[in-house]
Amino acid sequence: MERLQKVIAKAGIASRRKAEELIAQGKVKVNGVTVTEMGVQVSGNDEITVNGKQIRTEEKVYFLLNKPARVICSVSDEKGRKTVMDCFEGIQERIFPVGRLDYETTGLLIMTNDGEFANAMMHPRSHLPKTYEVTLNGVLTDDMARILSNGVMLDDGKTLPADVVILSRSENRNRTILQITIYEGRNREVRRMMEYFHCEVKKLNRVGYGNLDLGNLRQGEYRKLRMYEVKKLLSMTQH
């Protein structure tokens, strides 16, 4: 027997937190009966429907995608814009992105149908390192980089310490290229950190996530993660 929300997450419908919301909203039935309480235990013999559709357990799959620019991190878009799902033609499993990258941001994105795994990756306590290469309009001095590495005060609180490496800097061209590794996942965090120093982000590319890097993947390309990579990611979230 397992908790209902865990079974829904395992089936790749949604994260466990989202599954709890669906239950609370009365959108889940077990053997034809609507369930709105948390903690209900179900077995493999129970028929579970979410929004009227019976769930089925799928083999868990994990992909590493090099997300192109101007692509939405969503399984669909009401405005008809291109989504990350367009990179995965022919994939049968109902996969979804783990976290988000901005519309213009490129780089490493994990896609899966494993809600439990996604939940672990995105949990605030996981502190998984995420590395970005950033091209700025503006000159970021060594003193600014030092301040950045110690954490800066944003409107939702001070950022955690970050690892900052200046890759190149040109006062004539008013440009800085740097690599920054952050250990939390706030909305638009890197862009807001740069705005703190009045620097405009021209390019933002995520090149590392936990133990993963992009390798030779071109934008729009993906590969399956190996199980040892998945297990290593999970181990990195357990402190």
Side-chain angles (χ1 to χ4, degrees):
M1 301 286 282
E2 282 189 301
R3 285 174 178 260
L4 178 58
Q5 57 264 47
K6 189 172 183 180
V7 172
I8 293 171
K10 277 187 172 181
I13 304 296
S15 68
R16 195 190 297 192
R17 196 173 301 167
K18 182 66 176 175
E20 290 174 350
E21 291 176 17
L22 291 169
I23 294 168
Q25 292 163 2
K27 295 181 178 178
V28 178
K29 290 183 179 180
V30 177
N31 301 323
V33 179
T34 300
V35 174
T36 55
E37 299 171 5
M38 301 303 141
V40 170
Q41 300 276 333
V42 293
S43 73
N45 298 321
D46 290 312
E47 181 185 284
I48 303 164
T49 59
V50 178
N51 288 323
K53 293 183 180 179
Q54 186 173 344
I55 69 170
R56 68 184 196 280
T57 55
E58 296 180 317
E59 180 188 351
K60 298 295 176 278
V61 291
Y62 310 86
F63 298 100
L64 187 163
L65 169 69
N66 187 346
K67 176 194 168 295
R70 293 176 291 285
V71 171
I72 300 291
C73 269
S74 177
V75 294
S76 62
D77 181 61
E78 57 191 23
K79 296 179 181 176
R81 293 171 294 183
K82 193 171 184 180
T83 76
V84 288
M85 299 305 295
D86 292 312
C87 300
F88 289 89
E89 291 181 11
I91 298 295
Q92 299 300 313
E93 293 84 5
R94 293 170 293 178
I95 60 175
F96 53 87
V98 177
R100 293 182 181 274
L101 291 176
D102 293 341
Y103 185 58
E104 293 288 348
T105 302
T106 59
L108 201 160
L109 182 72
I110 297 174
M111 303 281 293
T112 186
N113 61 346
D114 186 342
E116 287 286 287
F117 170 82
N119 213 35
M121 294 302 103
M122 295 186 287
H123 197 285
R125 283 201 304 268
S126 71
H127 296 315
L128 276 176
K130 304 170 190 75
T131 302
Y132 297 81
E133 193 169 285
V134 193
T135 302
L136 297 176
N137 265 353
V139 175
L140 198 77
T141 66
D142 288 345
D143 283 343
M144 290 176 181
R146 205 170 299 116
I147 293 168
L148 192 59
S149 66
N150 289 326
V152 294
M153 186 60 72
L154 303 179
D155 55 10
D156 53 356
K158 190 175 183 181
T159 61
L160 290 178
D163 304 323
V164 182
V165 179
I166 302 292
L167 301 177
S168 70
R169 182 165 47 205
S170 171
E171 293 192 15
N172 291 338
R173 300 173 67 186
N174 193 37
R175 191 175 79 165
T176 308
I177 300 176
L178 66 120
Q179 185 171 286
I180 182 169
T181 301
I182 59 174
Y183 295 86
E184 52 190 339
R186 302 190 209 180
N187 186 39
R188 298 184 71 252
E189 183 171 1
V190 174
R191 292 182 186 275
R192 291 191 292 138
M193 291 166 89
M194 299 306 146
E195 286 168 8
Y196 179 89
F197 297 103
H198 307 290
C199 290
E200 179 193 4
V201 174
K202 293 301 290 178
K203 286 184 183 177
L204 184 58
N205 184 39
R206 184 154 72 185
V207 297
Y209 187 104
N211 57 312
L212 305 175
D213 60 51
L214 287 172
N216 296 320
L217 285 181
R218 296 178 181 177
Q219 287 188 11
E221 292 183 340
Y222 66 88
R223 70 169 177 85
K224 263 192 171 180
L225 288 183
R226 301 169 183 87
M227 279 317 298
Y228 78 84
E229 293 175 313
V230 174
K231 288 176 180 175
K232 176 65 175 176
L233 278 169
L234 285 169
S235 73
M236 292 175 77
T237 68
Q238 295 160 4
H239 299 288

